[in-house]
Amino acid sequence: MPFLAGAWFTDPEAFEAVLGYEAAELEQREVGDKLLIPEKEVEVTIVGVLARTGTQDDGTIFLPLRTVQKVFGQEGQLTGIGIKVKKEADIAAFEERMYRLPDVQVVSMTQVKNTIMTLISTAKVMVLSIAIIAVLIAVVGVVNTILMSVMERRQEIGILKAMGAKAKDIFRLIWTETVILCVAGGVVGCAMALGTAKLTEVLVRRLLPYTPSGGLVTIDYSLALFTLGVVTLIGLLSGVYPAWKAGSVRPLETIRSEVE
């Protein structure tokens, strides 16, 4: 564990602390500063700050074991122990031995990994469900918008048909308008996503001080192009009914109804 400044404790019972990189930044502390342990009214001196490692150690505050036991009134006791085994060790057999220990809860990294993967799978299902609902809402919104536009322009459509425009010409006109509307909305949405990605990362870092280093929000440009393709497909499908409705307008009835 490389140090950015300072070193480890000078004594096993010293009231000293070593801070991870992110913890030092959050607490605004340097080597030689004092750090107050909440609710215990005990101050410890910071003797070291670790370099950034990109692991959970960056957000950890380290104190001597005996000092922690004394401060929290747990002399001679332990809350948790982390065990790292060699690569050639039989992990299954080792876990089985640990399970036999009385009054000890054993949590293996395999269990932690499985739990995390389950959470990720659940999150993916939730995101996919939200995306499907958003697509359905978008389809209904586009159909409603174009239908309202067709209803408001019935007289214009009737005049076009009276001047010789065929049903397929009106269909193509409304359908093209729908696709343009959807593509324009998709372009604006992708531009907003690209523009707000950095802002989202800043907000996340402010709300969660122990966030990992590196980029948190990454937008794949191939995914943006795929999104535009999906939006265009939505426009093609959504515009079928309004375009058919516009193409089936009877010119004489439309003009007569507008005159009356």
Side-chain angles (χ1 to χ4, degrees):
M1 302 177 69
F3 276 85
L4 184 67
W8 283 110
F9 321 115
T10 58
D11 187 82
E13 298 185 8
F15 281 75
E16 297 172 344
V18 171
L19 274 61
Y21 185 87
E22 299 289 347
E25 283 196 344
L26 178 65
E27 297 291 340
Q28 298 289 310
R29 296 291 191 275
E30 298 178 351
V31 173
D33 293 343
K34 298 292 184 178
L35 181 67
L36 178 67
I37 299 178
E39 300 180 2
K40 296 298 179 180
E41 301 299 329
V42 174
E43 282 189 338
V44 294
T45 303
I46 298 173
V47 295
V49 175
L50 297 174
R52 186 191 292 273
T53 62
T55 65
Q56 64 181 8
D57 294 337
D58 290 343
T60 304
I61 299 176
F62 299 90
L63 280 80
L65 176 60
R66 295 180 185 176
T67 302
V68 176
Q69 291 173 331
K70 185 183 300 182
V71 170
F72 289 90
Q74 302 290 333
E75 286 84 357
Q77 299 184 26
L78 297 174
T79 303
I81 300 176
I83 301 176
K84 184 177 180 180
V85 298
K86 296 181 179 180
K87 294 182 179 180
E88 61 271 14
D90 188 345
I91 298 179
F94 179 78
E95 289 181 3
E96 185 63 29
R97 289 173 57 191
M98 292 297 101
Y99 287 137
R100 297 172 186 170
L101 296 176
D103 301 325
V104 174
Q105 181 181 7
V106 180
V107 180
S108 65
M109 290 304 298
T110 302
Q111 293 173 329
V112 174
K113 180 181 177 181
N114 292 336
T115 302
I116 293 175
M117 295 305 297
T118 301
L119 292 174
I120 293 176
S121 300
T122 303
K124 285 183 177 180
V125 172
M126 291 181 64
V127 171
L128 180 61
S129 302
I130 294 173
I132 292 175
I133 293 173
V135 169
L136 293 177
I137 293 174
V139 170
V140 173
V142 170
V143 172
N144 181 67
T145 301
I146 300 302
L147 273 178
M148 292 298 296
S149 176
V150 169
M151 297 302 294
E152 292 175 356
R153 296 155 55 189
R154 283 173 60 87
Q155 186 179 16
E156 298 176 17
I157 296 173
I159 293 174
L160 287 174
K161 296 193 73 172
M163 293 175 63
K166 298 180 180 179
K168 64 179 182 179
D169 297 324
I170 302 299
F171 182 93
R172 188 182 304 114
L173 175 66
I174 301 300
W175 205 18
T176 303
E177 180 180 329
T178 306
V179 174
I180 292 175
L181 175 66
C182 291
V183 172
V187 171
V188 172
C190 290
M192 291 180 64
L194 291 172
T196 57
K198 192 65 178 178
L199 177 61
T200 302
E201 182 172 329
V202 172
L203 292 176
V204 170
R205 291 193 182 278
R206 286 184 177 275
L207 295 173
L208 303 174
Y210 293 133
T211 51
S213 58
L216 298 179
V217 181
T218 303
I219 297 180
D220 189 357
Y221 291 98
S222 61
L223 178 61
L225 293 176
F226 174 75
T227 302
L228 282 176
V230 172
V231 168
T232 304
L233 179 61
I234 291 174
L236 292 172
L237 297 176
S238 304
V240 172
Y241 177 71
W244 173 80
K245 191 73 173 177
S248 62
V249 168
R250 296 184 179 182
L252 294 180
E253 293 181 2
T254 305
I255 297 173
R256 187 182 300 116
S257 63
E258 293 293 337
V259 172
E260 294 176 354

